[in-house]
Amino acid sequence: MEEEERKFPEAFHYQAGIGQRSSNAYFGTDVLSGLTAGMDEFLTDPEGRWRQYRSLGAAVLGCVPWLDDQELLSSIDRFPSACVVVTK
């Protein structure tokens, strides 16, 4: 199968804002890069919108059928606490 046949249709590939102070939701081929960018933004918190008065620190929780992307693994590794369930 050629590379061109495996791509999402252009109409499916977009970003949508979700609230006034939230990041974007990603659809199409940028979902994974959007996820890692959002995780990095959460950890750096440039606008101070995710600050919580919690002694245990930030955590990530996820459930995936497989986990083999190095960039995502690196982003998860930056959190003080993480729980990822792999169901495959």
Side-chain angles (χ1 to χ4, degrees), residues 60-76:
V60 63
L61 174 65
C63 181
V64 295
W66 60 88
L67 185 59
D68 59 359
D69 182 81
Q70 191 57 48
E71 187 177 352
L72 178 58
L73 289 167
S74 295
S75 291
I76 293 170

Side-chain angles (χ1 to χ4, degrees), residues 50-63:
W50 302 115
R51 287 205 185 105
Q52 300 279 330
Y53 297 101
R54 188 169 178 263
S55 63
L56 298 177
V60 63
L61 174 65
C63 181

Side-chain angles (χ1 to χ4, degrees), residues 7-86:
K7 292 184 178 179
F8 283 103
E10 203 55 44
F12 189 72
H13 180 77
Y14 67 97
Q15 297 178 27
I18 49 173
Q20 292 179 338
R21 297 186 67 198
S22 295
S23 299
N24 290 328
Y26 293 86
F27 300 87
T29 56
D30 285 337
V31 171
L32 188 55
S33 61
L35 174 63
T36 56
M39 292 170 76
D40 291 340
E41 181 183 326
F42 176 83
L43 288 170
T44 58
D45 196 16
E47 298 174 12
R49 61 186 171 165
W50 302 115
R51 287 205 185 105
Q52 300 279 330
Y53 297 101
R54 188 169 178 263
S55 63
L56 298 177
V60 63
L61 174 65
C63 181
V64 295
W66 60 88
L67 185 59
D68 59 359
D69 182 81
Q70 191 57 48
E71 187 177 352
L72 178 58
L73 289 167
S74 295
S75 291
I76 293 170
D77 192 42
R78 292 181 56 210
F79 281 81
S81 301
C83 176
V84 179
V85 177
V86 180

